[in-house]
Amino acid sequence: MAVTRKQIRENLLRQLEDKGLTDEIYRSQVEQYMFFHARLCDLNKMAVGKDENGDKTIDLDIIREARQVSKSMREILAFLGLKPPGEGGGGGGLPPL
């Protein structure tokens, strides 16, 4: 079962609420995380392609950008003291990202 963006957002917001972090600054960090999540999904789709012979190719520049986006996502979670959904984060029962 695929995890939806809505489920991820709800899980992270629930974790914030459980910690008593309800100010807008914390919620805006979740929205930033979701922006990066969407970007990472786009990058993952673009990273692998095919050349003129039909062989798989990997775009290393896209891979580098994906690593930076992933790092930013981890930094947001660390700042908020949250766990990614599926890793015991708020008991959401979601599979890992």
Side-chain angles (χ1 to χ4, degrees):
M1 176 177 126
V3 179
T4 67
R5 289 179 44 80
K6 181 179 178 184
Q7 290 172 313
I8 293 169
R9 178 182 283 112
E10 287 173 354
N11 183 278
L12 294 174
L13 291 173
R14 187 175 332 115
Q15 288 184 67
L16 283 179
E17 190 175 308
D18 291 348
K19 290 178 168 279
L21 304 175
T22 57
D23 292 339
E24 183 58 32
I25 188 170
Y26 303 116
R27 295 179 65 84
S28 69
Q29 289 296 304
V30 170
E31 294 310 314
Q32 185 68 36
Y33 180 90
M34 295 309 300
F35 170 81
F36 284 134
H37 180 272
R39 181 67 182 145
L40 187 59
C41 290
D42 291 342
L43 290 169
N44 286 338
K45 291 175 190 172
M46 295 185 312
V48 178
K50 295 195 182 240
D51 63 15
E52 61 277 353
N53 297 324
D55 296 327
K56 278 189 178 180
T57 61
I58 297 176
D59 187 325
L60 295 180
D61 290 333
I62 291 176
I63 297 297
R64 281 187 204 99
E65 184 177 350
R67 291 173 110 183
Q68 282 300 114
V69 169
S70 180
K71 179 182 175 191
S72 296
M73 292 170 71
R74 288 190 307 274
E75 288 171 350
I76 290 170
L77 292 178
F79 170 75
L80 296 173
L82 305 181
K83 296 181 180 184
E87 293 186 14
L94 299 175
L97 295 175

